Every structure is written in C-alpha cells, then in structure tokens.
C-alpha cells in the first residue's frame, strides 16, 4: 500500500482532510492534515468518511476500485506531483482519470468526484510518505543479500572434514565425564 489511508478521513461540510486522533464523547477528535495540525472535534452529526473505505466506480456495475489502488496508480504514473488540479478544465480532469483508471464509470463518477480525487491526492502526497510495496522494495538483481551459505567451492584436499575453521592442532580435548562409575 503506497499511502496509509486508514486514519485519514473527509468530513462532510468541512474542506480538507483530517487524521483521526481518537473517539470522543460527542464525536471524533480530528487533526487537520496540514502544517498547522489543528485539533478539533468533528461532531457525531457530521458524516466522517475514511479514505480507506472510499472507492471509484468501475464500468462493471458491482465493481469499485479502492482509493488506495487509485492513489498507487497515480503515483506510478506521475509521482507526487499531478499535471492537473481541482481548478483544471473538465476535459483535462476526465482525461487524467481516463489515463490513470481507464475502466472508471463515466456515468457515475462526476466531475466533482475527480476534483476531490486530485485535491485529496495532492494533500496526501504532501503530508504522508510514500511506502513502496514489498515487490518495489526488493532488489531487482539475483545477487545474494549476504554471504551466509554462499561460500564458494573449496578444494576438498586442502580442508579437513568437519568444521573448516577448526584445525587438527586446535581441536578441543574430549571432556571427561564428571560422573563416577559405580
């Protein structure tokens, strides 16, 4: 997962994104996702939508692509900076989403949804570190990461059998049993 969206939320009636801090008696304590990191109470009357539970409609009527996957696609194509913003033209925004997610449902995904997507991605990419998936973090070569177990073939006549680090001269003497025979 490129960005950890589990604790991030959008709150109805409020602009921007918020980090969930903890539940409170009459709502949820949230922190703005900006440089100020202002804490406030989101009342229970407001709808709090976790970004990890939001998806974009696909052409298949029952299918949605989770926002984390859409963010991953955007990052793979554009990195942390987008070629569009929420103020771009309708053609630019729909073209952008069609490049990132060609299978999106053009009937159910509105222009306002695409604007939110670009604004949210911009906020998240500025304030959260990108975490590469395991496949991206692994080295691309077949070289071993350590020499453990990758010791080259040695001349069998040159080394004694058993532990090659222990020579015959340094071999420890056999311990005598401390137990006395009856």
């Amino acid at each position: 997962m490129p960005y950890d969206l589990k604790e991030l939320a959008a709150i109805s009636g409020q602009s921007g994104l918020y980090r969930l801090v903890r539940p409170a008696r009459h709502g949820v304590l949230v922190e703005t996702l900006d440089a100020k990191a202002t804490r406030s109470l989101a009342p229970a009357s407001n709808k709090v939508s976790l970004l990890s539970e939001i998806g974009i409609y696909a052409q298949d009527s029952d299918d949605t692509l989770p926002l984390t996957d859409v963010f991953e696609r955007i990052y793979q194509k554009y990195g942390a900076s987008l070629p569009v913003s929420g103020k771009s033209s309708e053609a630019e925004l729909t073209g952008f989403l069609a490049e990132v997610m060609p299978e999106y449902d053009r009937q159910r995904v509105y222009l306002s949804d695409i604007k939110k997507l670009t604004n949210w991605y911009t906020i998240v990419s500025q304030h959260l570190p990108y975490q590469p998936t395991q496949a991206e973090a692994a080295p691309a070569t077949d070289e071993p990461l350590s020499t453990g177990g990758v010791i080259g073939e040695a001349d069998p006549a040159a080394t004694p059998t058993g532990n090659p680090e222990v020579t015959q001269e340094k071999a420890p003497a056999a311990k005598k049993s401390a137990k006395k025979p009856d």
Side-chain angles (χ1 to χ4, degrees), residues 28-46:
V28 179
L29 184 62
V30 295
E31 181 178 81
T32 58
L33 200 63
D34 60 10
K36 293 179 184 177
T38 309
R39 289 189 176 190
S40 62
L41 181 68
S45 60
N46 286 10

Side-chain angles (χ1 to χ4, degrees), residues 158-181:
T159 58
T161 59
N163 188 348
E165 294 179 2
V166 178
T167 61
Q168 298 300 337
E169 298 89 40
K170 295 180 184 177
K175 291 185 178 180
K176 294 183 181 178
S177 175
K179 193 175 180 184
K180 292 185 181 181

Side-chain angles (χ1 to χ4, degrees), residues 133-150:
T133 58
Q134 293 297 335
E136 294 171 1
T141 63
D142 290 336
E143 295 179 20
L145 297 177
S146 71
T147 58
V150 188

Side-chain angles (χ1 to χ4, degrees), residues 71-122:
F71 279 10
E72 171 70 20
R73 289 182 180 188
I74 293 172
Y75 186 85
Q76 294 302 323
K77 188 154 184 82
Y78 298 107
S81 61
L82 294 179
V84 295
S85 70
K87 296 180 181 179
S88 297
S89 71
E90 181 177 349
E92 290 174 326
L93 289 168
T94 54
F96 161 75
L97 189 57
E99 284 181 37
V100 173
M101 187 181 164
E103 72 273 17
Y104 88 94
D105 188 341
R106 282 134 178 92
Q107 300 298 317
R108 295 189 291 171
V109 178
Y110 301 111
L111 183 61
S112 60
D113 298 328
I114 302 171
K115 287 180 180 181
K116 278 184 201 176
L117 173 71
T118 59
N119 289 335
W120 289 352
Y121 183 81
T122 302

